[in-house]
Amino acid sequence: MKKNQNACSPVKSETPSSKRSRPADSPETTSPTGKSFTDILDSIDKRLSSFDARLSLVEILHREFKSLRESLEFSQQQVETLAAENASLRDSVKSLTENVTHLNEENKKIKETVIDLQARSMRDNLVFSGIPESAEEDAEATVKSFIKTYLKLPEDTVENICFERVHRLGAKKPGAPRPRPIVAKFGYFKQKEQVKSRGRELKGTDFSVNDQFPKEILERRKVLFPIRRSLIQKGSRAVIAVDRLYVDGRLYRD
């Protein structure tokens, strides 16, 4: 019986599981994935080093950002300061501009007042142009002779004309193409107007008799003369009074 049992007992054989339970041939311990723990540790160390590097980069970027923000805040303060200063400067410039404008207006008024005073002081003056000059002439006698000869006023009327002052205008220039004008200041306005009214007798000659005006008014009259001529050609009645043009009794405006 025992022989049969021994004969029938199965023979134990090695299975794959029994093989895995044996100690490994290598002295290193392996992980379930088949990698050694040293490799895993090396990999973790590398990852930590990479993380440290990235963390350092983040810290650098943080510092840079902080510095940039501080710089931006400072720039913003500077901009606000400059804006405030600019606003103050604009107000100052505006005030100065207004003052200059006011001063220009005042200066213009003063200048016009001076021109008006000059014109008033010349109210009794006539300028005789084209009268030949002579050495050591008597300007008053020359004017009276001219009035009698060319303006054809009676001799007794001419002799009664009273002058306050008569003289040539400007310094004598040798070789000048035209003689210097003579300015005569009449003692009486009516006598001046009487002589002036005879100016039509000089039509077609090289002589002329005109009121004396300041330079500024003469420039304005030069502008008005062509306009007056054009208006007269169109049939309007145009008259220049000092530095103003009147058309059909109304002040002309451009």
Side-chain angles (χ1 to χ4, degrees):
M1 295 293 291
K2 286 183 179 181
K3 287 182 179 181
N4 291 336
Q5 287 178 353
N6 291 335
C8 294
S9 296
V11 179
K12 292 184 178 180
S13 64
E14 294 182 354
T15 62
S17 60
S18 63
K19 289 182 179 180
R20 284 198 299 270
S21 64
R22 290 181 180 180
D25 294 335
S26 174
E28 295 181 357
T29 305
T30 59
S31 67
T33 58
K35 291 184 178 180
S36 68
F37 285 107
T38 302
D39 292 338
I40 293 174
L41 290 175
D42 289 342
S43 176
I44 292 173
D45 185 60
K46 289 179 180 179
R47 292 185 181 184
L48 288 175
S49 297
S50 176
F51 178 78
D52 288 341
R54 292 182 183 181
L55 184 61
S56 298
L57 179 60
V58 170
E59 291 177 352
I60 293 173
L61 291 175
H62 176 71
R63 288 196 297 270
E64 292 292 329
F65 175 77
K66 183 179 179 181
S67 176
L68 181 61
R69 185 176 62 185
E70 291 174 352
S71 176
L72 182 61
E73 290 175 352
F74 177 77
S75 298
Q76 183 65 28
Q77 292 176 355
Q78 292 293 100
V79 169
E80 291 175 357
T81 302
L82 290 174
E85 292 177 353
N86 186 42
S88 177
L89 286 174
R90 280 202 305 268
D91 292 339
S92 298
V93 170
K94 182 180 178 181
S95 177
L96 288 173
T97 302
E98 291 174 351
N99 289 337
V100 169
T101 302
H102 178 71
L103 288 174
N104 286 337
E105 291 175 353
E106 290 297 320
N107 183 54
K108 185 177 179 181
K109 289 179 181 178
I110 292 172
K111 186 176 180 180
E112 289 299 321
T113 300
V114 171
I115 293 173
D116 182 65
L117 290 173
Q118 289 177 334
R120 290 176 184 275
S121 70
M122 298 175 179
R123 181 172 178 269
D124 299 325
N125 297 3
L126 283 179
V127 178
F128 297 82
S129 302
I131 301 176
E133 294 187 50
S134 60
E136 299 180 0
E137 71 178 353
D138 181 343
E140 183 175 328
T142 299
V143 169
K144 283 189 174 183
S145 174
F146 177 82
I147 293 172
K148 182 172 59 177
T149 304
Y150 292 94
L151 298 183
K152 300 176 182 179
L153 280 175
E155 185 173 353
D156 58 340
T157 301
V158 175
E159 291 301 323
N160 289 328
I161 293 176
C162 177
F163 292 108
E164 290 188 11
R165 185 172 59 257
V166 182
H167 62 88
R168 293 274 180 179
L169 285 173
K172 188 174 183 179
K173 297 179 181 180
R178 289 180 59 82
R180 292 175 296 165
I182 298 176
V183 59
K185 185 175 182 62
F186 288 76
Y188 299 99
F189 181 74
K190 286 184 177 181
Q191 290 181 342
K192 176 241 180 177
E193 289 295 298
Q194 184 181 24
V195 173
K196 178 184 173 182
S197 67
R198 304 292 294 180
R200 60 181 180 274
E201 299 292 337
L202 301 177
K203 188 175 182 180
T205 70
D206 293 331
F207 305 114
S208 65
V209 178
N210 297 290
D211 289 300
Q212 186 184 25
F213 295 107
K215 180 181 177 181
E216 292 82 0
I217 291 181
L218 288 175
E219 293 298 324
R220 296 170 189 173
R221 288 170 66 87
K222 284 182 182 179
V223 175
L224 294 176
F225 280 129
I227 300 174
R228 173 179 176 270
R229 190 181 308 114
S230 175
L231 291 170
I232 290 175
Q233 290 174 352
K234 294 178 181 178
S236 299
R237 182 175 176 275
V239 178
I240 296 176
V242 188
D243 59 349
R244 289 178 173 81
L245 175 61
Y246 293 88
V247 182
D248 297 328
R250 295 183 179 181
L251 180 63
Y252 174 82
R253 298 182 184 279
D254 292 334

